[in-house]
């Protein structure tokens, strides 16, 4: 992975929707903290890499109103650096609220304005729930590959018995 960003909120700033807590810092993927982790962590980690003409952004952690601006910035930069669009891997997202959804919707609107696409890869259970409840999951589905027309050949549909 080429780019990596970590976002944490300003000290003393916490979501009104969740109780205040301290984030577990210094834990990389695959490690287990030596002390019990809090119910919520406000850390957002993003990685991005090029995959052909598309940029892939991998998101881990929590996306809420505290971390969504950092996510939006990463998504905007990925879209700018891509030829065809952005794929967002949300399999590692532990918390997702409307702020994250709004970041995705802004990405999609900007992508369409530039003739590109935005898709969601492997949404976590939390992300899938929000996308399903809001009816927006279909907006982020990958495009189906176009059927190739075979030149000089006629395609006969199967006969029915």
């Amino acid at each position: 992975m080429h780019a990596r960003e970590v976002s944490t909120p300003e000290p003393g700033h916490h979501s009104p929707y969740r109780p205040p807590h301290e984030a577990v810092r210094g834990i990389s993927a695959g490690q287990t903290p030596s002390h019990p982790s809090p119910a919520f962590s406000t850390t957002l980690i993003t990685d991005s890499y090029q995959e052909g003409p598309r940029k892939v952004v991998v998101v881990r952690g929590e996306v809420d109103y505290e971390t969504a601006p950092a996510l939006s910035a990463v998504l905007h930069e990925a879209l700018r650096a891509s030829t065809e669009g952005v794929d967002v891997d949300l399999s590692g997202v532990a918390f997702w609220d409307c702020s994250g959804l709004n970041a995705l919707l802004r990405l999609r609107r900007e992508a369409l304005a530039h003739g590109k696409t935005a898709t969601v890869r492997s949404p976590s259970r939390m992300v899938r729930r929000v996308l399903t409840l809001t009816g927006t999951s279909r907006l982020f589905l990958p495009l189906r590959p176009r059927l190739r027309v075979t030149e000089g050949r006629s395609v006969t549909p199967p006969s029915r018995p």
Side-chain angles (χ1 to χ4, degrees), residues 6 31 45 96 110 120 159:
V6 176
Q31 287 184 324
I45 300 172
W96 182 265
E110 185 178 352
V120 170
S159 61

Side-chain angles (χ1 to χ4, degrees), residues 23-41:
V24 176
R25 293 188 175 94
I27 304 295
S28 62
Q31 287 184 324
T32 304
S34 57
H35 59 284
S37 64
F40 298 104
S41 170

Side-chain angles (χ1 to χ4, degrees), residues 27-128:
I27 304 295
S28 62
Q31 287 184 324
T32 304
S34 57
H35 59 284
S37 64
F40 298 104
S41 170
T42 57
T43 302
L44 172 69
I45 300 172
T46 60
D47 295 318
S48 63
Y49 60 92
Q50 196 72 33
E51 190 174 89
R54 300 188 66 78
K55 194 79 165 179
V56 179
V57 176
V58 180
V59 182
R60 290 188 302 270
E62 295 187 0
V63 181
D64 58 15
Y65 85 98
E66 296 170 342
T67 58
L71 176 62
S72 288
V74 169
L75 295 175
H76 174 77
E77 181 59 30
L79 183 64
R80 190 191 65 71
S82 73
T83 305
E84 290 184 5
V86 177
D87 296 331
V88 187
D89 182 335
L90 298 172
S91 60
V93 173
F95 183 83
W96 182 265
D97 68 7
C98 61
S99 301
L101 176 60
N102 285 329
L104 277 183
L105 291 170
R106 279 191 297 276
L107 172 69
R108 180 177 186 271
R109 184 174 53 236
E110 185 178 352
L112 291 174
H114 291 93
K116 300 178 182 182
T117 60
T119 64
V120 170
R121 289 185 179 181
S122 308
S124 69
R125 183 177 175 195
M126 178 72 70
V127 174
R128 194 175 325 110

